[in-house]
């Protein structure tokens, strides 16, 4: 098989554009780097092509293109990437299920990745992102999610109207605050249909969404600490409730 | 007061070297960027000098040096820093107390910062770092700790001998694993003197330390997820136990 060596190769140029959100949205494709993410994508049936160096050992039935390490580097923002890249289809929407985590304007890719990972660990069925939350196909999100993005339904919605929809479907909606509301250990849940909202790293949950919550949850902590990292707070709440 | 404009100014050159761990260790000084961290350092009585631009509003009794924004940029790795830098004394060791978190070779600065923040939130008295754990005075650690570094005793030790010392002092030492051991919700603690060990992001806890644990803890989770982020796992355990 031929090995693509040129950074100006038409195919490589096209693929490298998938590092940009705009291009991803258009093509409904994204790139993942490294064996673990490529394998997770493959298990999920969304891997459509493998790009790897000649010497990198990876067996699959997926169409494979051989390239040089310089070409690999053009397809990722990592400084010292692994020698394999996967081209992956956008994930399809599924039913939202009963246990829902709603994220309002989370900005840090590491935080979003961590929350996705913990959501799978603690049996969340769907993560619902506000339109201004960081893109899930951002490479830092993918890396910090440790491939868990392939094991959970993640959708994007206008949150105000989505919360109204949840109300009509009899979900109980819990907002989260640094204090005020119910201590998570004291919470008595009388329904299976639960939605929890976590807000932006600096500003918390948007005012308009706060008004639509049925109750608020908080994690008790030492007064010296103003707040927890949002990935940590989300994980503790999911651990405790789900 | 004179404003230092030159990046070659002797004082500025000397201070900028504090961005390097080696120089910090020698001088027992470190730099913090931004109002929040400078204020936290000041509250703790370890702030020895303020470096700021002429137009930046900050009142304190601490000796202050005025500089240009270009000089500020030389004193931090941030791309768009706030216009204030603090020169801060290394924190002094205190008594270790009863509730101890031990970190074995944590490498990611964001993870260490998050763990420091959660440790203050959940009343840890001392964090004990292995000698190969990332430096607490690293700017990314400081930023993600949200200034909580000033509210907790953090010390560095050879962990093998430190665990032996804890045993002789009748501490109960808990290791953490992805599974195996006691579910954290089922743990009955019959002592106040507790030490919890968290291990490296990829490799977990070193073999030699595992042998010295009295028991092991784990967080139950969905099989689809291999492990949690170490900052999240540490935080959940601290939340549950302390």
């Amino acid at each position: 098989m031929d090995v693509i060596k040129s950074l100006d190769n038409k195919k490589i140029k096209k693929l490298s554009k998938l590092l940009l959100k705009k291009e991803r949205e258009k093509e409904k494709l994204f790139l993942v780097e490294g064996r673990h993410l490529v394998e997770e994508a493959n298990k999920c049936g969304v891997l459509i092509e493998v790009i790897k160096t000649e010497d990198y050992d990876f067996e699959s039935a997926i169409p494979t293109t051989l390239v040089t390490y310089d070409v690999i580097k053009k397809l990722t923002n990592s400084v010292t990437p692994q020698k394999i890249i996967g081209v992956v289809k956008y994930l399809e929407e599924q039913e939202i299920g009963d246990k829902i985590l709603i994220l309002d304007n989370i900005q840090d890719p590491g935080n979003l990745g961590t929350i996705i990972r913990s959501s799978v660990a603690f049996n969340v069925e769907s993560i619902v992102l506000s339109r201004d939350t960081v893109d899930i196909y951002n490479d830092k999100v993918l890396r910090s999610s440790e491939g868990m993005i392939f094991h959970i339904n993640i959708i994007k919605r206008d949150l105000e109207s989505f919360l109204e929809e949840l109300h009509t479907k009899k979900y109980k909606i819990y907002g989260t605050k640094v204090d005020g509301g119910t201590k998570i250990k004291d919470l008595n849940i009388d329904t299976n249909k639960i939605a929890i909202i976590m807000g932006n790293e600096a500003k918390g949950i948007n005012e308009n969404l706060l008004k639509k919550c049925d109750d608020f949850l908080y994690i008790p902590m030492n007064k010296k600490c103003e707040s927890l990292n949002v990935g940590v707070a989300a994980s503790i709440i999911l651990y405790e409730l789900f």
Side-chain angles (χ1 to χ4, degrees), chain A:
Chain A
M1 203 183 337
D2 280 355
V3 177
I4 298 178
K5 295 186 175 83
S6 167
L7 300 180
D8 289 328
N9 178 286
K10 212 172 145 192
K11 174 180 184 140
I12 299 305
K13 276 180 126 171
K14 199 170 158 59
L15 285 175
S16 72
K17 287 194 187 148
L18 294 176
L19 293 175
L20 305 170
K21 184 179 171 188
K22 202 174 132 188
E23 194 70 10
R24 289 195 294 267
E25 299 272 322
K26 207 174 90 189
E27 301 288 335
K28 305 284 176 215
L29 293 175
F30 63 104
L31 301 175
V32 297
E33 182 228 312
R35 180 180 296 270
H36 180 64
L37 289 174
V38 171
E39 282 176 347
E40 292 286 334
N42 197 14
K43 272 191 239 166
C44 269
V46 287
L47 182 66
I48 61 164
E49 183 169 0
V50 172
I51 316 282
K52 70 176 200 67
T53 60
E54 219 172 346
D55 63 327
Y56 190 87
D57 194 25
F58 186 82
E59 291 287 327
S60 79
I62 306 295
T64 297
T65 300
L66 299 180
V67 301
T68 60
Y69 191 51
D70 278 345
V71 171
I72 291 280
K73 281 185 177 169
K74 199 175 169 182
L75 300 178
T76 166
N77 292 317
S78 296
V79 185
T80 50
Q82 291 184 48
K83 293 172 173 176
I84 184 167
I85 301 278
V87 185
V88 184
K89 278 194 289 189
Y90 263 34
L91 301 165
E92 278 176 28
E93 290 197 4
Q94 293 153 30
E95 287 293 314
I96 59 169
D98 290 341
K99 294 173 176 178
I100 296 174
L101 179 65
I102 297 170
L103 302 179
D104 178 29
N105 190 17
I106 296 292
Q107 287 307 302
D108 181 89
N111 285 343
L112 179 57
T114 298
I115 293 173
I116 294 170
R117 191 172 169 189
S118 294
S119 295
V120 173
F122 300 126
N123 309 303
V124 170
E125 287 167 83
S126 292
I127 300 177
V128 183
L129 309 176
S130 66
R131 299 207 184 272
D132 50 5
T133 286
V134 58
D135 185 33
I136 51 166
Y137 301 114
N138 169 306
D139 61 329
K140 282 186 200 158
V141 175
L142 293 170
R143 226 174 303 134
S144 54
S145 85
E146 290 278 339
M148 289 303 110
I149 189 180
F150 298 113
H151 296 290
I152 189 164
N153 184 36
I154 306 179
I155 63 179
K156 212 172 236 188
R157 287 289 186 278
D158 171 73
L159 293 188
E160 271 190 70
S161 53
F162 184 72
L163 292 192
E164 281 167 25
E165 197 184 314
L166 289 181
H167 273 305
T168 61
K169 290 180 178 165
K170 309 286 182 215
Y171 283 80
K172 187 127 187 191
I173 300 172
Y174 291 100
T176 48
K177 288 184 175 178
V178 170
D179 52 19
T182 307
K183 224 185 278 186
I184 50 170
K185 282 230 187 264
D186 296 344
L187 190 70
N188 286 315
I189 299 179
D190 51 5
T191 171
N192 286 325
K193 296 168 98 173
I194 301 169
I196 293 161
I197 314 179
M198 303 297 305
N200 173 268
E201 287 87 347
K203 293 175 284 182
I205 299 173
N206 181 306
E207 283 285 333
N208 295 330
L209 303 180
L210 285 178
K211 288 180 206 155
K212 296 188 196 298
C213 293
D214 296 307
D215 197 356
F216 295 94
L217 300 176
Y218 76 95
I219 302 166
M221 55 184 155
N222 191 301
K223 290 267 173 273
K224 282 189 239 166
C225 184
E226 279 172 39
S227 67
L228 294 166
N229 164 282
V230 66
V232 165
S235 302
I236 290 175
I237 291 171
L238 299 176
Y239 157 79
E240 189 66 80
L241 301 190
F242 289 169

